[in-house]
Amino acid sequence: MELRDFGRLGRISALTLGGGGLGGVWGATDRSEAVATVHAAIDAGITMFDVAPSYGDDFEAERVIGEALRNSPDVQVTSKVQVHDVPPGGDFARLISSSLEGSLTRLGRDHLDLFLLHTQLLPRDGSATAPGTIHWQSYQDAVVPAFEHLRETGRIRAWGITAVGHPASVLDALRAPARPNAAQVIVNPLDLNGDMWIYPTVPSENQAVLATAQSQGVPVLGIRVAAAGSLTDSLDRSVPPDHPAAIDFARAAPFRELAADWGTSAATLAHRYALSVPGVASVILGVKNRAELTECLKAEAEGPLPPEQLAALRVLRP
């Protein structure tokens, strides 16, 4: 497994095992298979594991990692916190600290390597609003100081953001003097948002976010690499025809045709693309079992895509 630079956290594996699949967010799995998938990831050289309290019922992804990594201290673990002020969210520092302590208990660890804000940022000018979001001023005045304090006291080694909020504020956060130590950025061949976008009239600007993170020295974890399953050969869960994943799956038909022409699966091609993008330190996997993990490991082993294939994929973007 290739190791890549990840800022203050040193070098991490090119693949990160995400918790969405382990928690059952992307289709059914069970605890024993999820734990076995974590062990297989470690055996394959994966050194970073990314979870969140919201991944699965009763914090399932964090519980899986806590059980699976009990005797594996030489790996790094990421978790997240959601705080919002739309509607009003209360004492941010207390909520952040409480969420962290809960995660550490479930994970069986005394610190987190990376702690991420899992709430979308609103624009400074108040031109957009949505439930479960946070205003720029609240982020700047309350969230950032809370994260900095936790890092200074050793409860976390680094902090970051899920960089999927309103692009104006995400770009502001990446350029701020107290900028995050890492950012999770959407990276996939068709630039699909994987059922995360809450601003229908605003372009997401994922490419600008990625370029800005790179220019500001903020390490990037690539997320939604398979666009919530839309960039695979078939959706592995039932969704209604008007669901964003179903709409994106239909939109991705030319991508699947190109993958078939090249003799590969859509998921393998999507992961090889993300691993080829400059500035991406590690690609987060949404797998839920060992079979899906094996396909992603194969993609990493096959290496970056050649320039002509990357160019052909970019032509497919909507």
Side-chain angles (χ1 to χ4, degrees):
M1 177 73 61
E2 179 189 3
L3 297 178
R4 298 179 176 182
D5 290 332
F6 198 65
R8 67 184 296 122
L9 295 184
R11 293 172 67 78
I12 64 171
S13 52
L15 298 179
T16 290
L17 186 61
L22 302 177
V25 175
W26 308 125
T29 189
D30 59 42
R31 175 72 65 84
S32 62
E33 179 59 28
V35 169
T37 301
V38 175
H39 290 158
I42 294 171
D43 291 342
I46 289 178
T47 65
M48 178 70 89
F49 297 84
D50 175 72
V51 293
S54 59
Y55 292 167
D57 295 337
D58 193 28
F59 315 102
E60 179 63 11
E62 290 188 332
R63 297 190 190 282
V64 166
I65 292 296
E67 178 177 335
L69 297 185
R70 194 168 295 139
N71 297 312
S72 302
D74 297 329
V75 296
Q76 300 196 49
V77 178
T78 292
S79 195
K80 306 178 183 75
V81 59
Q82 295 187 33
V83 292
H84 57 79
D85 52 13
V86 182
D91 183 343
F92 291 116
R94 181 184 61 79
L95 291 169
I96 290 169
S97 179
S98 175
S99 181
L100 173 62
E101 294 308 317
S103 292
L104 291 175
T105 297
R106 291 183 291 273
L107 293 164
R109 303 178 84 82
D110 60 8
H111 72 278
L112 277 182
D113 297 287
L114 178 62
F115 196 31
L116 292 145
L117 177 66
H118 208 201
T119 307
Q120 294 201 23
L121 295 170
L122 293 170
R124 290 192 194 204
D125 62 8
S127 59
T129 187
T133 53
I134 190 166
H135 291 291
W136 167 261
Q137 211 60 45
S138 298
Y139 166 77
Q140 190 78 353
D141 294 347
V143 173
V144 171
F147 279 148
E148 293 278 340
H149 173 73
L150 290 171
R151 190 180 65 188
E152 291 165 2
T153 57
R155 299 302 277 166
I156 63 176
R157 294 178 59 212
W159 66 270
I161 61 172
T162 302
V164 188
H166 193 285
S169 286
V170 169
L171 295 174
D172 283 343
L174 294 173
R175 296 177 181 131
R179 63 181 63 95
N181 307 125
Q184 294 192 338
V185 180
I186 291 173
V187 179
N188 62 63
L190 302 190
D191 209 19
L192 301 173
N193 282 295
D195 191 23
M196 292 187 79
W197 197 241
I198 60 175
Y199 307 102
T201 64
V202 180
S204 56
E205 299 188 29
N206 295 322
Q207 300 303 310
V209 170
L210 179 62
T212 301
Q214 189 172 11
S215 70
Q216 298 298 316
V218 178
V220 168
L221 294 165
I223 61 173
R224 289 303 200 264
V225 172
S230 299
L231 297 180
T232 61
D233 291 332
S234 61
L235 278 173
D236 59 0
R237 63 198 187 281
S238 296
V239 295
D242 59 349
H243 189 279
I247 294 170
D248 283 348
F249 183 80
R251 188 179 299 165
F255 171 77
R256 289 190 293 278
E257 292 171 6
L258 191 58
D261 288 344
W262 291 345
T264 189
S265 72
T268 295
L269 183 57
H271 285 85
R272 286 189 69 193
Y273 170 85
L275 286 162
S276 305
V277 174
V280 175
S282 189
V283 167
I284 297 182
L285 309 180
V287 303
K288 59 182 175 290
N289 55 46
R290 285 169 286 180
E292 293 178 355
L293 173 64
T294 297
E295 186 172 15
C296 295
L297 294 173
K298 177 186 174 188
E300 193 275 336
E302 289 178 357
L305 292 171
E308 61 272 18
Q309 289 189 333
L310 288 171
L313 288 172
R314 293 187 183 108
V315 170
L316 298 179
R317 286 180 183 164

